[in-house]
Amino acid sequence: MNLAFISKNIYDKPLKICPLCDSPEIKQYYIINKYNPQFKVDRCSACGFMFMNPRFSMHLVKNLYNEDYYSGNAEYSYYDERDAETYSRFVWERRIKKIRQYVQTGNFLDVGCAFGGLLKTASEYFTPFGIEISKYSGSRAKALFGENIHIGSLSDHHFKHSFFSVITMIELLEHVNDPIPAVTECYNLLKKGGLLIIQTANMDGLQAKILKEKYGYFMPGHFSYFTKSNLEDLLRKTGFNKIKVFYPVEFGLLPKLLKSRYNFKSFLDYVKWIRIAYYHYISKIRFGNFAATSSMVIYAVK
Ligand SMILES: [Zn+2]
């Protein structure tokens, strides 16, 4: 899919201050020109936060998450998790097991729930709820969980505050153009003692620093690029107290290996396990703000 077919209202007005810390010290950092239309990424000198600027308009964004996005036909795409469900379940089950070390049961909200795969696994122990901006995938989640699924965003849902025991945002926050209200809303939706889980790339990771503008995370749907410290600060500012960062994820290597077989076509594909294992273990190398790769998952308790 070539996004250039959307000829009008491609960009919003450029931001003059950092959307995370309000500093006017923002500078153009990268031009991402492998997509059409191209976009620019600014970096805030005060806090290190990176963000698309000017951002793509909502008019364009609404056209991103269609059937092509999920079927891999789009230039910029996700996968249709329904095809991969048998394999993805290994990761979902392990994640739910980890979550249950913190919270055993209650109302579970997956923000960006897509087809509802994680929620299906969660529903063994929790009451599942979801928010999904894409009508295409969200309507499939709705077929499973009915009115518990809201097609829309964190700014227009009908859920009650202090209602959820767990909220997950897996590879979601980078899609959000205004992260402070989004995380604040998650805080309000959680009960006291509730758990928020965020998975997004750590721009302080060596992986992102070496690859620079070629880093795969720079793509049209991604507006916000955090460092680990950006996220920790944001979580503290919004009221979360206990914060724990996992590298690369909060579970071990095995579920990832089992999930990877989804794309395997022959026995030779098992060679890929070497690369996956290498990435997993090298991701454990970190000290202070340094991390070898850019994978991280953050758990935060209200
Ligand atoms: Zn800033």
Side-chain angles (χ1 to χ4, degrees):
M1 183 178 73
N2 185 341
L3 294 171
F5 78 94
I6 300 163
S7 53
K8 55 164 190 163
N9 306 331
I10 291 177
Y11 302 104
D12 280 344
K13 266 196 209 128
L15 298 174
K16 298 267 195 302
I17 56 168
C18 169
L20 211 54
C21 75
D22 289 345
S23 165
E25 302 294 314
I26 56 172
K27 272 194 216 102
Q28 186 180 303
Y29 207 60
Y30 295 137
I31 296 176
I32 312 299
N33 54 20
K34 67 173 168 175
Y35 297 100
N36 187 10
Q38 65 173 28
F39 62 93
K40 291 169 187 163
V41 174
D42 283 10
R43 184 175 180 277
C44 169
S45 314
C47 76
F49 182 61
M50 287 195 257
F51 52 99
M52 185 188 285
N53 198 18
R55 295 187 290 218
F56 285 136
S57 65
M58 276 318 283
H59 170 71
L60 184 140
V61 170
K62 277 189 180 143
N63 282 283
L64 279 180
Y65 306 111
N66 57 11
E67 187 169 351
D68 283 344
Y69 177 74
Y70 290 102
S71 57
N73 292 330
E75 180 182 22
Y76 154 64
S77 62
Y78 183 60
Y79 68 114
D80 189 331
E81 62 184 28
R82 292 169 302 170
D83 299 339
E85 191 171 327
T86 326
Y87 301 96
S88 298
R89 272 194 84 92
F90 293 114
V91 163
W92 293 331
E93 279 168 4
R94 200 59 198 81
R95 173 156 273 151
I96 297 300
K97 199 170 167 193
K98 185 74 188 179
I99 289 170
R100 293 193 73 235
Q101 290 177 6
Y102 292 75
V103 182
Q104 278 76 44
T105 187
N107 295 324
F108 187 117
L109 175 67
D110 187 18
V111 185
C113 68
F115 299 94
L118 176 65
L119 285 177
K120 229 199 252 178
T121 308
S123 68
E124 287 172 38
Y125 307 100
F126 298 92
T127 310
F129 294 84
I131 293 179
E132 175 51 57
I133 200 164
S134 163
K135 235 187 214 168
Y136 175 72
S137 62
S139 62
R140 308 304 207 283
K142 232 178 157 78
L144 292 172
F145 304 113
E147 288 311 303
N148 286 9
I149 303 297
H150 169 67
I151 312 249
S153 73
L154 271 168
S155 59
D156 57 13
H157 64 80
H158 55 272
F159 300 126
K160 278 188 301 221
H161 283 174
S162 305
F163 181 69
F164 294 102
S165 301
V166 180
I167 299 179
T168 47
M169 292 206 279
I170 309 299
E171 311 270 358
L172 184 279
L173 205 54
E174 62 275 13
H175 294 265
V176 170
N177 57 17
D178 224 348
I180 297 177
V183 173
T184 305
E185 186 56 12
C186 288
Y187 182 85
N188 293 334
L189 285 166
L190 280 173
K191 289 179 183 170
K192 186 96 191 100
L195 177 68
L196 174 65
I197 293 136
I198 296 174
Q199 179 168 14
T200 190
N202 173 13
M203 302 313 284
D204 261 349
L206 195 58
Q207 183 185 9
K209 289 192 163 169
I210 288 175
L211 291 171
K212 295 193 167 75
E213 68 270 31
K214 293 200 168 57
Y215 183 37
Y217 229 66
F218 293 113
M219 52 169 87
H222 290 185
F223 291 168
S224 299
Y225 306 94
F226 301 86
T227 65
K228 177 187 75 106
S229 323
N230 286 154
L231 261 183
E232 286 173 328
D233 291 348
L234 172 58
L235 287 163
R236 270 189 222 105
K237 214 157 60 180
T238 39
F240 288 92
N241 50 62
K242 270 179 262 163
I243 297 167
K244 187 170 165 59
V245 186
F246 299 89
Y247 306 83
V249 285
E250 74 276 42
F251 44 82
L253 172 63
L254 186 64
K256 283 208 254 177
L257 292 179
L258 295 174
K259 180 186 173 181
S260 72
R261 290 182 305 162
Y262 161 59
N263 284 318
F264 286 11
K265 291 185 178 66
S266 85
F267 251 165
L268 291 173
D269 283 327
Y270 280 91
V271 173
K272 289 180 188 157
W273 278 15
I274 297 168
R275 188 181 52 77
I276 296 168
Y278 173 76
Y279 183 86
H280 184 83
Y281 288 112
I282 204 164
S283 298
K284 306 261 173 221
I285 302 169
R286 84 276 176 176
F287 38 87
N289 286 333
F290 172 85
T293 75
S294 291
S295 295
M296 69 172 172
V297 175
I298 296 193
Y299 277 39
V301 177
K302 175 170 175 178

